[in-house]
Amino acid sequence: MERRIAGIIYILITFALVNEMSINVQAKDNKRRTKEKGGFQKNICDVSDRESKVHCYCETSREPKNATKAECWVFNGGIPRNDLIWQSFASQPTLKTLSFNVRVDGALSYVPTEALQYLKNLKSINIKYGTIPEIQSYAFANLTNLTEALLSQNEIESLRQYAFAHLPNITLINLDENMIVEIGTDVFYNMPKLHKLTFTKNNISSIKDGAFQHTFNLLELDLNKNNIFHLNRRTFDGLANLRKLDLRRNRIYNLTEFTFAELWNLQELLLGKNDLKYISERAFDGLSQLEKLSLDDNKLAALPSGLFAGVRGLTSLDLRSNELHALTLDDIKPILDNLKPQNSNLQLEDNNFVCDCRLEWMHSLRNETRSQNTKTSLNNVTCKMDPPIVSSAYNKMSDVIENKIDYNQEILHAGITIETLNDKMNVTEKKILKDDLNDENDIDAPSKKAVKRNVLKIPPGTLPCPRDNPKTTEPPQLIIDPVVPIQNEMKTFRLRDSNAANIHCRYKLVLLSCFAFFFT
Ligand SMILES: *[C@@H]1O[C@H](CO)[C@@H](O)[C@H](O)[C@H]1NC(C)=O
Ligand SMILES: *[C@@H]1O[C@H](CO)[C@@H](O)[C@H](O)[C@H]1NC(C)=O
Ligand SMILES: *[C@@H]1O[C@H](CO)[C@@H](O)[C@H](O)[C@H]1NC(C)=O
Ligand SMILES: *[C@@H]1O[C@H](CO)[C@@H](O)[C@H](O)[C@H]1NC(C)=O
Ligand SMILES: *[C@@H]1O[C@H](CO)[C@@H](O)[C@H](O)[C@H]1NC(C)=O
Ligand SMILES: *[C@@H]1O[C@H](CO)[C@@H](O)[C@H](O)[C@H]1NC(C)=O
Ligand SMILES: *[C@@H]1O[C@H](CO)[C@@H](O)[C@H](O)[C@H]1NC(C)=O
Ligand SMILES: *[C@@H]1O[C@H](CO)[C@@H](O)[C@H](O)[C@H]1NC(C)=O
Ligand SMILES: *[C@@H]1O[C@H](CO)[C@@H](O)[C@H](O)[C@H]1NC(C)=O
């Protein structure tokens, strides 16, 4: 009897408890619970629990199995990978666009594959401000409909093998502004439609050979602003369809032969703002489709003579802000005709060109090109007037340029040379040249600015040719023996007008040493 009563009480209590619980649950979840195969789940679009670590705002509809877009905020840290919240995404299998916006540092430390696996219709995933040290293998759950993965600013450091794999419709992966250090092999695997892959602003210093061998349909690879210093002929293996490669703002100092040989379809190669000093004559071999090449802001003092023979399709070339002391007709000849149409582009400003006859082709190109950009750039190209004594030693030119002891002599000789030119020219020209000189002449004491001239303001035919190196394929128009101007210069100096004296007297000391030099 006692047993029976105890049993009834037990049953009553249990019933009461269950009832109480279900009332609570109904109240909390606003009667919107859905019964799924896996048991009770929240509708991720309708989470009213303030304690929830994830809140999503859904568009088009909040009804179960009907939303197409969800924007989710992640608030609290340390959500376990197997947290039930991820299962709740099964309540909205029609989602096409999903974004996670992480509001608290460290709140999301992995790609929530657990959630993604239910979203077979998902086309776009965007995660921002997470702290995701590693993208694990198959992180995107082999989703067949996924077309883009946007993962910028997540402090990603490493990418596991197969991190991005079996995504048959993905076209874009954005990994900008992370902390990726290395691109290993087989990170990108079986993504036949991947067209664009971007790594702007990471810390990549190493790209394993063959890292891209499975991304053979990639059209654009962006490695701008990283730490890359070494490339070799296997770095870009497999990228036979690539059209654009952006390597700007890295630390590449040496381009060895066949570095880009695999890139048969490359049209645009951006290498600006690196530390390039050396380019192999065959560095660009294989780039038969290349149209645009930028090498601006590097440290190139010379280009190998056959460099452009490998890239005969080039119509746009940027060599600004290097240390080039010459660019000969022979160098530029393979692409010279490409630089004449209206939409072509040649940029050469801000180099260390030496004023000599090897620059004379610039006059003809300026005359013949229909590209306004090229004209403007050529008009602004400057060269340094070179002390005659150095002319016979062009091979050592980079040494001379770096040698600051020669600086005053350079200025001195520039002045004299200009007067020599004045003898040959008419009055108006003379006036222009003097103005130029005066402009440059605020070089009081410590300024290290050497006298620069606009190449195209020096009449063609008056530029001296380096004696040891008469390297021009055009019939020599007027070759001035470097020795002759020295005598002329002295004569001119004695007969100088007061203006010029003004200029020269400031450099009396240097002048004296110069005379001493002439007479020894
Ligand atoms: C789903 O959303 C559409 C609008 O996008 C609406 O017409 C339809 O009635 C909704 N279905 C359910 C079951 O709520
Ligand atoms: C993917 O998208 C297509 C077309 O939008 C659709 O028919 C299909 O059901 C979606 N889901 C999967 C798993 O392919
Ligand atoms: C994705 O596919 C690979 C290869 O078929 C398999 O090994 C892996 O378990 C799959 N991952 C997911 C999350 O479906
Ligand atoms: C994704 O790719 C599969 C083939 O792997 C195809 O059947 C499906 O229709 C594609 N979905 C979309 C949206 O293109
Ligand atoms: C970038 O990587 C190098 C190692 O290659 C490391 O020393 C450096 O601290 C990293 N920089 C940042 C900002 O993470
Ligand atoms: C650049 O690469 C070439 C070819 O590998 C090599 O001979 C040369 O020494 C390298 N230059 C520097 C500065 O490392
Ligand atoms: C360029 O054109 C001007 C006239 O337009 C002509 O005087 C000059 O000789 C030409 N220079 C060259 C190098 O063709
Ligand atoms: C180049 O020349 C144009 C006018 O021809 C001028 O406006 C521009 O400032 C110059 N640029 C430089 C960098 O000197
Ligand atoms: C200046 O040069 C032009 C041709 O360039 C010439 O016709 C003219 O006579 C010259 N003037 C003087 C004063 O020498």
Side-chain angles (χ1 to χ4, degrees):
M1 184 68 181
E2 275 176 15
R3 258 191 174 185
R4 243 184 108 174
I5 293 170
I8 289 166
I9 291 171
Y10 179 72
I11 287 165
L12 282 174
I13 291 172
T14 312
F15 183 80
L17 271 177
V18 167
N19 207 25
E20 168 78 5
M21 268 169 69
S22 80
I23 287 166
N24 273 349
V25 160
Q26 277 182 352
K28 255 188 178 173
D29 286 354
N30 226 0
K31 294 180 186 168
R32 282 194 209 269
R33 275 187 171 248
T34 3
K35 177 108 173 136
E36 291 286 331
K37 283 182 246 156
F40 277 109
Q41 280 173 335
K42 292 173 181 169
N43 175 357
I44 196 66
C45 292
D46 197 6
V47 176
S48 52
D49 175 6
R50 286 175 180 276
E51 298 298 304
S52 178
K53 292 159 181 168
V54 179
H55 284 267
C56 300
Y57 294 83
C58 298
E59 280 180 26
T60 50
S61 157
R62 290 161 67 187
E63 297 303 317
K65 300 190 177 187
N66 208 10
T68 56
K69 182 173 176 186
E71 251 176 86
C72 301
W73 273 257
V74 183
F75 291 100
N76 298 316
I79 311 175
R81 276 173 197 259
N82 58 0
D83 194 287
L84 286 176
I85 190 75
W86 302 129
Q87 276 187 32
S88 304
F89 281 83
S91 62
Q92 294 292 356
T94 52
L95 280 178
K96 290 187 169 162
T97 305
L98 173 62
S99 63
F100 289 100
N101 206 329
V102 184
R103 310 304 293 185
V104 178
D105 259 4
L108 185 62
S109 60
Y110 50 87
V111 174
T113 314
E114 288 300 317
L116 298 182
Q117 65 178 335
Y118 301 109
L119 309 178
K120 300 294 183 197
N121 289 297
L122 198 65
K123 282 173 156 313
S124 170
I125 171 81
N126 184 353
I127 305 178
K128 240 183 188 173
Y129 312 125
T131 312
I132 305 180
E134 174 185 285
I135 305 279
Q136 67 273 21
S137 302
Y138 310 113
F140 299 92
N142 304 343
L143 291 175
T144 50
N145 274 0
L146 196 65
T147 61
E148 61 177 24
L150 310 174
L151 300 166
S152 61
Q153 303 187 58
N154 285 296
E155 299 182 29
I156 299 166
E157 289 165 25
S158 74
L159 309 173
R160 273 279 181 98
Q161 215 182 20
Y162 306 119
F164 298 87
H166 305 300
L167 303 168
N169 289 305
I170 200 159
T171 59
L172 167 66
I173 295 174
N174 180 327
L175 289 162
D176 292 351
E177 298 186 56
N178 282 293
M179 293 153 71
I180 299 166
V181 174
E182 179 183 88
I183 306 180
T185 47
D186 299 334
V187 169
F188 303 98
Y189 194 80
N190 189 15
M191 297 185 288
K193 290 190 185 165
L194 185 63
H195 287 163
K196 185 167 175 180
L197 180 52
T198 75
F199 292 97
T200 302
K201 274 198 182 173
N202 275 272
N203 192 16
I204 298 165
S205 55
S206 158
I207 301 176
K208 288 270 186 270
D209 289 353
F212 302 108
Q213 63 189 339
H214 301 299
T215 56
F216 42 82
N217 282 321
L218 206 59
L219 302 179
E220 188 172 338
L221 175 59
D222 188 342
L223 292 160
N224 187 357
K225 263 205 170 179
N226 277 282
N227 243 325
I228 300 166
F229 57 92
H230 182 70
L231 301 171
N232 70 54
R233 65 170 76 182
R234 296 222 45 218
T235 307
F236 300 114
D237 260 10
L239 294 175
N241 288 299
L242 201 70
R243 304 282 158 82
K244 178 173 175 182
L245 176 57
D246 189 344
L247 288 163
R248 285 176 298 168
R249 297 184 178 83
N250 278 282
R251 295 192 294 128
I252 305 164
Y253 61 92
N254 199 348
L255 277 188
T256 50
E257 50 188 11
F258 310 123
T259 301
F260 307 104
E262 294 278 324
L263 307 177
W264 304 316
N265 280 299
L266 200 68
Q267 291 169 357
E268 199 169 325
L269 175 57
L270 308 180
L271 286 160
K273 299 192 166 66
N274 275 280
D275 296 328
L276 280 173
K277 269 192 168 159
Y278 169 85
I279 298 186
S280 154
E281 182 180 344
R282 315 203 62 181
F284 300 133
D285 272 24
L287 295 176
S288 56
Q289 304 296 312
L290 198 69
E291 290 167 7
K292 177 172 178 176
L293 174 62
S294 77
L295 291 163
D296 52 297
D297 289 286
N298 278 287
K299 296 181 175 141
L300 296 166
L303 296 177
S305 56
L307 188 65
F308 299 121
V311 282
R312 289 174 179 274
L314 218 55
T315 57
S316 172
L317 173 63
D318 189 349
L319 282 165
R320 278 175 295 184
S321 303
N322 276 282
E323 294 161 18
L324 293 174
H325 51 80
L327 188 62
T328 67
L329 180 62
D330 278 346
D331 294 340
I332 203 83
K333 211 171 201 171
I335 59 167
L336 193 59
D337 282 339
N338 306 346
L339 299 173
K340 292 173 184 170
Q342 195 169 3
N343 54 0
S344 64
N345 199 5
L346 174 67
Q347 306 277 308
L348 292 174
E349 294 112 306
D350 199 12
N351 273 286
N352 285 341
F353 291 124
V354 173
C355 299
D356 70 37
C357 65
R358 292 178 297 178
L359 301 181
E360 236 154 51
W361 59 269
M362 291 182 191
H363 280 279
S364 344
L365 181 60
R366 197 259 317 253
N367 272 11
E368 289 172 34
T369 187
R370 276 180 280 127
S371 156
Q372 196 49 51
N373 284 346
T374 303
K375 271 189 195 169
T376 306
S377 174
L378 287 174
N379 281 336
N380 284 358
V381 175
T382 55
C383 59
K384 283 184 193 166
M385 282 298 182
D386 184 45
I389 192 66
V390 179
S391 305
S392 57
Y394 272 108
N395 297 338
K396 295 185 207 151
M397 191 50 60
S398 56
D399 295 343
V400 171
I401 285 164
E402 275 157 27
N403 189 349
K404 287 176 180 122
I405 298 163
D406 286 334
Y407 141 72
N408 276 330
Q409 283 203 16
E410 246 178 274
I411 292 170
L412 167 70
H413 281 276
I416 290 173
T417 313
I418 289 161
E419 291 210 42
T420 313
L421 292 174
N422 283 352
D423 288 346
K424 298 191 181 101
M425 289 180 307
N426 64 29
V427 184
T428 40
E429 287 277 19
K430 194 169 184 172
K431 192 156 169 273
I432 289 165
L433 286 170
K434 271 200 195 133
D435 285 350
D436 280 0
L437 196 60
N438 284 333
D439 285 344
E440 308 273 6
N441 207 32
D442 46 343
I443 31 171
D444 277 323
S447 161
K448 296 233 163 101
K449 205 167 108 196
V451 166
K452 287 183 178 174
R453 300 287 318 281
N454 275 65
V455 176
L456 294 185
K457 282 191 184 165
I458 305 170
T462 60
L463 285 164
C465 281
R467 192 161 49 163
D468 288 352
N469 195 9
K471 207 181 166 206
T472 169
T473 46
E474 288 208 317
Q477 290 162 318
L478 177 63
I479 298 185
I480 302 170
D481 187 330
V483 176
V484 179
I486 293 177
Q487 287 159 358
N488 284 350
E489 279 158 15
M490 291 177 63
K491 220 170 19 190
T492 323
F493 176 68
R494 286 190 201 107
L495 303 169
R496 71 187 185 259
D497 59 43
S498 58
N499 256 355
N502 217 357
I503 295 157
H504 288 160
C505 286
R506 288 215 229 157
Y507 297 100
K508 225 186 255 168
L509 263 180
V510 193
L511 212 62
L512 282 175
S513 68
C514 192
F515 273 125
F517 188 80
F518 288 154
F519 290 120
T520 48

